[in-house]
Amino acid sequence: LVSALIVPRARASPPRPTKFFVIMSSSAAPCQLTFRLGRAETAPGEGVLVVGGHHSFGNWDPVSGLKMTTDEATYPAWTAQVEVPRAAGRVEFKYVIDRRASGEAFEWEAGENRHVAAQSGAWEQQDEAFGLPGSRLVRGAAPKTQTASSAAEESTQEAPANADDLPTTT
């Protein structure tokens, strides 16, 4: 003989909402990064990009790079702002001039890649000119509307040159 056990079907209950809590530590805070390129000469319609090894900088694809801006009052200086997760760490990049409006190709900086270390807070990457080596990363990026005298009064702190030198939190 074979016997069968019949189990009544349970009624489906509605799904319960799940609660998630995200704990943010100071080390997880994003990096507000301002790029300031002191001089890059372009023709009308051309632009300057930050292109590098992070999706915020186009993953080395200049078509997707971070577009910099300038105006009549600040040209030939260029700026760009971006938020980068601190987890990005040390990111390499180059400045690239987009000369497609003039019927030419992208012009990449010659020489070694530049780099920036993503750190919590606001930072300003200062570079003298397109194609010239040397960078300075300064804490506390000044808003565009800030005057030079009030910017000079603001305390600045240079970042370590190497991501391995970054302070760690425990």
Side-chain angles (χ1 to χ4, degrees):
L1 269 194
V2 176
S3 63
L5 178 62
I6 299 175
V7 178
R9 244 180 134 175
R11 290 203 283 184
S13 60
R16 291 190 207 172
T18 305
K19 293 181 182 178
F20 291 97
F21 295 93
V22 177
I23 299 172
M24 300 283 290
S25 70
S26 62
S27 64
C31 176
Q32 304 290 330
L33 189 56
T34 300
F35 287 89
R36 294 205 185 277
L37 181 59
R39 190 178 76 242
E41 296 180 15
T42 59
E46 296 179 341
V48 179
L49 309 163
V50 179
V51 181
H54 188 269
H55 69 85
S56 298
F57 310 135
N59 286 323
W60 294 109
D61 177 7
V63 173
S64 302
L66 176 64
K67 291 175 178 47
M68 301 187 81
T69 60
T70 191
D71 59 33
E72 289 181 16
T74 60
Y75 180 82
W78 294 79
T79 60
Q81 292 183 331
V82 67
E83 184 175 287
V84 179
R86 187 173 189 276
R90 183 177 185 263
V91 179
E92 292 188 334
F93 71 95
K94 284 187 179 268
Y95 293 109
V96 177
I97 296 179
D98 183 353
R99 298 204 185 276
R100 293 178 297 170
S102 300
E104 297 178 33
F106 292 104
E107 180 183 344
W108 290 77
E109 282 188 297
E112 298 293 318
N113 294 342
R114 298 177 190 260
H115 68 272
V116 62
Q119 304 173 61
S120 298
W123 292 87
E124 186 172 292
Q125 174 75 24
Q126 300 173 344
D127 294 295
E128 187 177 333
F130 181 84
L132 287 181
S135 297
R136 195 170 91 145
L137 187 63
V138 179
R139 180 178 288 282
K144 282 184 176 181
T145 56
Q146 187 170 11
T147 63
S149 60
S150 63
E153 294 169 9
E154 185 176 307
S155 82
T156 60
Q157 173 186 351
E158 287 196 39
N162 185 328
D164 297 333
D165 298 332
L166 292 176
T168 57
T169 57
T170 54

